[in-house]
Amino acid sequence: MVNGNCVYLDFSLNCSSKNIIYIAQCTICSKMGNKFKDDSYFGQTMTAMNVRMNGHRSHFVIDSRLLFEKSALSMHCFLSHKAEFSMEYFKLGIVKQVRPVDLNRVEEGYIQKYRTSICGLNRITVVR
């Protein structure tokens, strides 16, 4: 569930699947009773899911380079759960596989539909 709405995962896809839309949910925040919570993130990757997750995982570092700021997932943990600063607190799922040219549009559709840029972890992107 994301902001009171069901998200359906595609279980025919796996960690080797490419050109996908994925969801990550903070298990700490999702345990809170509030229906609308900042716990979900929709992302996309042209590479395999496991490669993309390793990219997120590599930002779970607190150092002078401020790597944690480069991933919405690590930034969330740093700001909200410093004692639990780890990728292990996220549930992951693959939502859909799409053509590479459609990744941006489909990802934005999920972000809008589930309102994860308002009640969620997706950052608002300003196009100039």
Side-chain angles (χ1 to χ4, degrees), residues 3 20 36 41-43 55 60 71 87 89 110 115 124 127:
N3 294 324
I20 57 160
F36 298 99
Y41 171 83
F42 284 100
F60 278 81
S71 164
M87 182 79 178
Y89 292 101
Y110 279 99
R115 300 182 310 274
I124 297 173
V127 179

Side-chain angles (χ1 to χ4, degrees), residues 2-3 5 17 24 31 34 50 57-58 60 62 66-67 72 79 85 87 104-106 113 115 118 121 128:
V2 175
N3 294 324
N5 298 300
S17 299
K31 291 178 184 173
N34 187 359
N50 63 327
R57 197 172 286 109
S58 72
F60 278 81
I62 299 174
L66 303 175
L67 286 177
L79 295 175
F85 187 69
M87 182 79 178
N104 287 338
R105 181 183 54 79
V106 175
K113 178 179 179 179
R115 300 182 310 274
I118 298 166
L121 305 180
R128 295 178 189 210

Side-chain angles (χ1 to χ4, degrees), residues 7 25 27 29 33 43 45 48 52 54 58 75 80 83 93 106 112 120 127:
V7 176
Q25 246 182 347
T27 58
C29 291
T45 183
R52 180 66 193 106
N54 285 339
S58 72
M75 180 74 124
S80 300
V106 175
Q112 295 301 318
V127 179

Side-chain angles (χ1 to χ4, degrees), residues 13-125:
L13 302 171
N14 60 45
C15 64
S16 299
S17 299
K18 298 179 179 181
N19 303 315
I20 57 160
I21 305 299
Y22 62 90
I23 185 169
Q25 246 182 347
C26 175
T27 58
I28 298 169
C29 291
S30 63
K31 291 178 184 173
M32 297 177 183
N34 187 359
K35 180 178 175 182
F36 298 99
K37 46 195 163 239
D38 294 337
D39 70 345
S40 300
Y41 171 83
F42 284 100
Q44 61 162 290
T45 183
M46 290 176 65
T47 62
M49 173 74 163
N50 63 327
V51 172
R52 180 66 193 106
M53 291 307 108
N54 285 339
H56 276 295
R57 197 172 286 109
S58 72
H59 291 104
F60 278 81
V61 176
I62 299 174
D63 63 8
S64 61
R65 296 176 296 163
L66 303 175
L67 286 177
F68 68 89
E69 292 182 345
K70 296 184 179 179
S71 164
L73 305 183
S74 58
M75 180 74 124
H76 169 73
C77 278
F78 179 79
L79 295 175
S80 300
H81 316 296
K82 271 196 183 157
E84 291 86 20
F85 187 69
S86 172
M87 182 79 178
E88 73 182 61
Y89 292 101
F90 285 91
K91 292 186 298 186
L92 305 170
I94 300 174
V95 180
K96 188 173 193 169
Q97 189 171 45
V98 299
R99 298 179 312 157
V101 69
D102 294 329
L103 280 168
N104 287 338
R105 181 183 54 79
V106 175
E107 177 192 27
E108 184 60 31
Y110 279 99
I111 291 168
Q112 295 301 318
K113 178 179 179 179
Y114 294 97
R115 300 182 310 274
T116 57
S117 64
I118 298 166
C119 295
L121 305 180
N122 287 98
R123 299 174 186 166
I124 297 173
T125 304

